[in-house]
Amino acid sequence: MVRDLVFVAHSAQASGAEKVMLGLVDLALSRGHRVRVACPEGPLRELLPASAGHVRIPELGLAGQRGGRRLLAAATMARHWLRAAVVLRALSRSDRAEIIVNSTMALPAVALALPRRRSAVWLVHDVLASRRQVTVARVGRAAVHRAVAVSERAAAPVRQLGFEVQVAVQGVVWPVEPVPMVERTPLVVGILGVITEWKGQHVLLAAAAGLPEISVEIAGTAHPGDEPYLAALRERSQRADLAGRVSFLGRVDAWAALREWDILVSASVLPEAGPLVVLEAMSLGVPVVATDHGGNVTEDVALCVPADDPIALHAALQRLVDDPQLRVQLSEAGRARVAACHDRSETEPRMLDMMLGSEYER
């Protein structure tokens, strides 16, 4: 049966959650479904396949604003939820579109568009770790009849709020050729993601300051409102203990960047459900150091450290610098995990089937 699907994303950015959504969009189109994506203008819009329609909505989340600016931004966000709700309500009424919510911060707009109907599906990429996230999820409860989480870590707090939740893990392209292990000084340590404080780029710089055996590459762009954070990172990188060892790459092709790195760091300060870039790195055999938030990051495939702890991160990086065999062990363990559990040709159909409540269409 042909379905009319509308994916809703709260941001114009194209990070891990949006990459997962784009894969699902491609798969739904290949099955013959009609697909549109409701999102703001920006990088994500540019990545949509030509056969997917675009529905323009405003930005629906907060960025890095503080103090009075954050209050003003919150008021603006509420107005944007209302504007997006008008668009989504028209779609659901006139076209009988099925709404798939790809972002926690889009839930209020969907709840306003579908009051008391509980017809939307929520793809849960976030661990609800803040009061704001929990409040937003509670608001969205009236519109959501099914939630699909990308990890058990993400599913648990959503179940506690009374949602019906299933788990469908993320996947990456498999098989892929591994990155060859090379001995060089300095080792290249990379971090990839939206540049915002909770992603922890500052933690990596603090950890790297006392490690002249490594250089650091920071890939990604700042969210609107997070430009001061990026400026602070640049200023920190120019101090004597890091000078000449830090590069800012901007927007990059993830696979190309990962193939140039000896170590990937995922330094998020707040809990993550399972960073997609970690799976991408593991598939290539790039050793991973990550904050211990669970999801797809476990001690058998990565060096796990406490969140927001530059001393622990420094120690983990020093271990990898000093022990090439440990890097080989993590490389092999990561590739084995991806092969066993995260092959996208298997995980992606399973995820879409759960979202649509359908059998896999062969």
Side-chain angles (χ1 to χ4, degrees):
M1 179 181 69
V2 175
R3 315 279 281 269
D4 187 0
L5 309 177
V6 176
F7 290 80
V8 184
H10 82 286
S11 169
Q13 298 297 318
S15 55
E18 289 73 35
K19 288 171 69 175
V20 172
M21 182 190 73
L22 289 170
L24 294 168
V25 166
D26 284 336
L27 179 58
L29 288 169
S30 73
R31 293 182 175 181
H33 300 308
R34 181 188 183 195
V35 178
R36 286 168 288 178
V37 177
C39 68
E41 292 287 349
L44 177 57
R45 165 72 178 89
E46 296 167 8
L47 293 174
L48 296 180
S51 52
H54 174 241
V55 179
R56 184 176 180 177
I57 59 173
E59 289 274 348
L60 301 178
L62 290 171
Q65 301 91 346
R66 297 180 183 275
R69 289 185 177 180
R70 191 169 182 84
L71 291 175
L72 178 61
T76 300
M77 181 177 63
R79 291 197 300 272
H80 287 181
W81 282 338
L82 288 170
R83 286 172 53 196
V86 171
V87 174
L88 296 173
R89 184 182 301 121
L91 288 176
S92 64
R93 283 180 176 172
S94 62
D95 296 344
R96 299 183 181 275
E98 299 179 57
I99 305 296
I100 299 172
V101 189
N102 196 64
S103 311
T104 301
M105 295 306 294
L107 284 170
V110 175
L112 290 167
L114 309 172
R116 296 178 297 281
R117 283 174 52 184
R118 290 201 178 180
S119 58
V121 176
W122 177 22
L123 182 54
V124 186
H125 297 278
D126 303 316
V127 177
L128 303 183
S130 70
R131 182 179 301 176
R132 177 175 56 125
Q133 288 175 310
V134 171
T135 300
V136 166
R138 289 185 187 278
V139 170
R141 181 72 185 90
V144 173
H145 77 97
R146 181 188 300 114
V148 175
V150 299
S151 70
E152 187 59 43
R153 181 74 176 84
V158 176
R159 285 198 189 99
Q160 292 177 359
L161 295 178
F163 288 81
E164 175 191 333
V165 188
Q166 296 173 286
V167 175
V169 299
Q170 301 171 110
V172 292
V173 174
W174 183 263
V176 294
E177 286 295 317
V179 173
M181 284 282 181
V182 296
E183 286 303 316
R184 57 181 169 183
T185 302
L187 293 178
V188 181
V189 176
I191 185 168
L192 188 155
V194 174
I195 297 180
T196 188
E197 190 169 0
W198 77 268
K199 284 289 190 179
Q201 287 91 354
H202 62 288
V203 182
L204 174 56
L205 291 186
L211 270 174
E213 303 95 332
I214 69 171
S215 63
V216 175
E217 293 189 351
I218 298 175
T221 57
H223 262 312
D226 281 314
E227 293 85 1
Y229 176 67
L230 174 57
L233 293 176
R234 290 185 181 278
E235 188 279 329
R236 177 67 185 89
S237 73
Q238 293 169 4
R239 298 182 195 172
D241 54 0
L242 285 172
R245 293 197 290 123
V246 180
S247 300
F248 292 84
L249 306 184
R251 185 174 293 114
V252 298
D253 176 83
W255 293 100
L258 287 166
R259 287 187 176 276
E260 299 299 319
W261 294 346
D262 300 298
I263 300 167
L264 171 82
V265 169
S266 177
S268 51
V269 173
L270 298 178
E272 288 205 70
L276 186 65
V277 68
V278 166
L279 294 180
E280 293 171 336
M282 291 196 303
S283 74
L284 293 169
V286 177
V288 173
V289 181
T291 46
D292 188 8
H293 294 318
N296 56 28
V297 182
T298 53
E299 292 183 353
D300 55 335
V301 295
L303 292 187
C304 296
V305 298
D308 203 11
D309 189 337
I311 294 175
L313 180 54
H314 173 102
L317 290 171
Q318 186 73 68
R319 285 182 64 192
L320 290 177
V321 168
D322 294 340
D323 190 347
Q325 186 56 39
L326 177 58
R327 299 203 303 272
V328 171
Q329 291 172 5
L330 291 178
S331 172
E332 293 174 348
R335 281 176 59 81
R337 171 68 64 80
V338 171
C341 304
H342 298 285
D343 181 343
R344 195 174 77 179
S345 67
E346 298 177 359
T347 62
E348 198 169 68
R350 188 178 305 123
M351 182 178 287
L352 186 61
D353 290 341
M354 284 187 184
M355 291 161 56
L356 302 183
S358 60
E359 295 293 330
Y360 178 42
E361 300 167 24
R362 297 186 180 273

PDB file of all heavy atoms in Angstrom, residues 75-87:
ATOM      1  N   ALA A  75      10.424  32.573  23.342  1.00  0.00           N
ATOM      2  CA  ALA A  75       9.178  33.152  22.848  1.00  0.00           C
ATOM      3  C   ALA A  75       9.086  33.019  21.324  1.00  0.00           C
ATOM      4  O   ALA A  75       8.026  32.694  20.776  1.00  0.00           O
ATOM      5  CB  ALA A  75       9.092  34.623  23.258  1.00  0.00           C
ATOM      6  N   THR A  76      10.196  33.252  20.653  1.00  0.00           N
ATOM      7  CA  THR A  76      10.230  33.081  19.198  1.00  0.00           C
ATOM      8  C   THR A  76       9.951  31.635  18.820  1.00  0.00           C
ATOM      9  O   THR A  76       9.210  31.356  17.865  1.00  0.00           O
ATOM     10  CB  THR A  76      11.594  33.520  18.646  1.00  0.00           C
ATOM     11  OG1 THR A  76      11.815  34.897  18.968  1.00  0.00           O
ATOM     12  CG2 THR A  76      11.663  33.320  17.135  1.00  0.00           C
ATOM     13  N   MET A  77      10.542  30.708  19.580  1.00  0.00           N
ATOM     14  CA  MET A  77      10.330  29.292  19.301  1.00  0.00           C
ATOM     15  C   MET A  77       8.860  28.918  19.428  1.00  0.00           C
ATOM     16  O   MET A  77       8.326  28.170  18.604  1.00  0.00           O
ATOM     17  CB  MET A  77      11.169  28.440  20.257  1.00  0.00           C
ATOM     18  CG  MET A  77      11.046  26.933  20.053  1.00  0.00           C
ATOM     19  SD  MET A  77      12.156  26.027  21.170  1.00  0.00           S
ATOM     20  CE  MET A  77      11.480  26.500  22.781  1.00  0.00           C
ATOM     21  N   ALA A  78       8.181  29.444  20.440  1.00  0.00           N
ATOM     22  CA  ALA A  78       6.760  29.153  20.619  1.00  0.00           C
ATOM     23  C   ALA A  78       5.947  29.642  19.417  1.00  0.00           C
ATOM     24  O   ALA A  78       5.038  28.952  18.934  1.00  0.00           O
ATOM     25  CB  ALA A  78       6.248  29.793  21.906  1.00  0.00           C
ATOM     26  N   ARG A  79       6.292  30.834  18.919  1.00  0.00           N
ATOM     27  CA  ARG A  79       5.603  31.347  17.720  1.00  0.00           C
ATOM     28  C   ARG A  79       5.879  30.448  16.519  1.00  0.00           C
ATOM     29  O   ARG A  79       4.980  30.182  15.710  1.00  0.00           O
ATOM     30  CB  ARG A  79       6.039  32.780  17.429  1.00  0.00           C
ATOM     31  CG  ARG A  79       5.563  33.805  18.432  1.00  0.00           C
ATOM     32  CD  ARG A  79       5.681  35.219  17.878  1.00  0.00           C
ATOM     33  NE  ARG A  79       7.046  35.556  17.534  1.00  0.00           N
ATOM     34  CZ  ARG A  79       7.928  36.087  18.376  1.00  0.00           C
ATOM     35  NH1 ARG A  79       7.573  36.307  19.648  1.00  0.00           N
ATOM     36  NH2 ARG A  79       9.146  36.381  17.985  1.00  0.00           N
ATOM     37  N   HIS A  80       7.099  29.952  16.418  1.00  0.00           N
ATOM     38  CA  HIS A  80       7.448  29.061  15.309  1.00  0.00           C
ATOM     39  C   HIS A  80       6.699  27.735  15.394  1.00  0.00           C
ATOM     40  O   HIS A  80       6.303  27.174  14.366  1.00  0.00           O
ATOM     41  CB  HIS A  80       8.962  28.817  15.291  1.00  0.00           C
ATOM     42  CG  HIS A  80       9.748  30.002  14.825  1.00  0.00           C
ATOM     43  ND1 HIS A  80      11.126  29.990  14.711  1.00  0.00           N
ATOM     44  CD2 HIS A  80       9.351  31.250  14.429  1.00  0.00           C
ATOM     45  CE1 HIS A  80      11.531  31.166  14.265  1.00  0.00           C
ATOM     46  NE2 HIS A  80      10.481  31.943  14.097  1.00  0.00           N
ATOM     47  N   TRP A  81       6.512  27.222  16.607  1.00  0.00           N
ATOM     48  CA  TRP A  81       5.705  26.003  16.767  1.00  0.00           C
ATOM     49  C   TRP A  81       4.294  26.221  16.214  1.00  0.00           C
ATOM     50  O   TRP A  81       3.746  25.356  15.524  1.00  0.00           O
ATOM     51  CB  TRP A  81       5.621  25.611  18.237  1.00  0.00           C
ATOM     52  CG  TRP A  81       6.847  24.916  18.772  1.00  0.00           C
ATOM     53  CD1 TRP A  81       7.791  24.244  18.065  1.00  0.00           C
ATOM     54  CD2 TRP A  81       7.237  24.835  20.139  1.00  0.00           C
ATOM     55  NE1 TRP A  81       8.754  23.740  18.900  1.00  0.00           N
ATOM     56  CE2 TRP A  81       8.447  24.081  20.180  1.00  0.00           C
ATOM     57  CE3 TRP A  81       6.692  25.315  21.336  1.00  0.00           C
ATOM     58  CZ2 TRP A  81       9.105  23.793  21.380  1.00  0.00           C
ATOM     59  CZ3 TRP A  81       7.356  25.031  22.529  1.00  0.00           C
ATOM     60  CH2 TRP A  81       8.544  24.282  22.546  1.00  0.00           C
ATOM     61  N   LEU A  82       3.722  27.379  16.520  1.00  0.00           N
ATOM     62  CA  LEU A  82       2.366  27.673  16.047  1.00  0.00           C
ATOM     63  C   LEU A  82       2.327  27.765  14.518  1.00  0.00           C
ATOM     64  O   LEU A  82       1.413  27.234  13.878  1.00  0.00           O
ATOM     65  CB  LEU A  82       1.865  28.974  16.665  1.00  0.00           C
ATOM     66  CG  LEU A  82       1.524  28.919  18.169  1.00  0.00           C
ATOM     67  CD1 LEU A  82       1.290  30.327  18.709  1.00  0.00           C
ATOM     68  CD2 LEU A  82       0.292  28.056  18.399  1.00  0.00           C
ATOM     69  N   ARG A  83       3.326  28.426  13.940  1.00  0.00           N
ATOM     70  CA  ARG A  83       3.368  28.551  12.478  1.00  0.00           C
ATOM     71  C   ARG A  83       3.539  27.189  11.818  1.00  0.00           C
ATOM     72  O   ARG A  83       2.875  26.878  10.821  1.00  0.00           O
ATOM     73  CB  ARG A  83       4.513  29.478  12.081  1.00  0.00           C
ATOM     74  CG  ARG A  83       4.256  30.960  12.356  1.00  0.00           C
ATOM     75  CD  ARG A  83       5.510  31.782  12.127  1.00  0.00           C
ATOM     76  NE  ARG A  83       6.094  31.553  10.808  1.00  0.00           N
ATOM     77  CZ  ARG A  83       7.336  31.908  10.475  1.00  0.00           C
ATOM     78  NH1 ARG A  83       8.111  32.508  11.369  1.00  0.00           N
ATOM     79  NH2 ARG A  83       7.790  31.673   9.264  1.00  0.00           N
ATOM     80  N   ALA A  84       4.421  26.358  12.378  1.00  0.00           N
ATOM     81  CA  ALA A  84       4.625  25.022  11.813  1.00  0.00           C
ATOM     82  C   ALA A  84       3.373  24.176  11.970  1.00  0.00           C
ATOM     83  O   ALA A  84       3.027  23.383  11.083  1.00  0.00           O
ATOM     84  CB  ALA A  84       5.813  24.349  12.499  1.00  0.00           C
ATOM     85  N   ALA A  85       2.664  24.336  13.084  1.00  0.00           N
ATOM     86  CA  ALA A  85       1.440  23.563  13.324  1.00  0.00           C
ATOM     87  C   ALA A  85       0.387  23.847  12.269  1.00  0.00           C
ATOM     88  O   ALA A  85      -0.326  22.940  11.821  1.00  0.00           O
ATOM     89  CB  ALA A  85       0.893  23.866  14.718  1.00  0.00           C
ATOM     90  N   VAL A  86       0.282  25.099  11.852  1.00  0.00           N
ATOM     91  CA  VAL A  86      -0.694  25.452  10.811  1.00  0.00           C
ATOM     92  C   VAL A  86      -0.375  24.702   9.522  1.00  0.00           C
ATOM     93  O   VAL A  86      -1.263  24.147   8.863  1.00  0.00           O
ATOM     94  CB  VAL A  86      -0.686  26.977  10.579  1.00  0.00           C
ATOM     95  CG1 VAL A  86      -1.537  27.331   9.358  1.00  0.00           C
ATOM     96  CG2 VAL A  86      -1.193  27.706  11.819  1.00  0.00           C
ATOM     97  N   VAL A  87       0.897  24.655   9.162  1.00  0.00           N
ATOM     98  CA  VAL A  87       1.315  23.960   7.939  1.00  0.00           C
ATOM     99  C   VAL A  87       1.028  22.468   8.047  1.00  0.00           C
ATOM    100  O   VAL A  87       0.462  21.843   7.138  1.00  0.00           O
ATOM    101  CB  VAL A  87       2.809  24.204   7.679  1.00  0.00           C
ATOM    102  CG1 VAL A  87       3.289  23.374   6.485  1.00  0.00           C
ATOM    103  CG2 VAL A  87       3.082  25.680   7.434  1.00  0.00           C
TER     104      VAL A  87
END
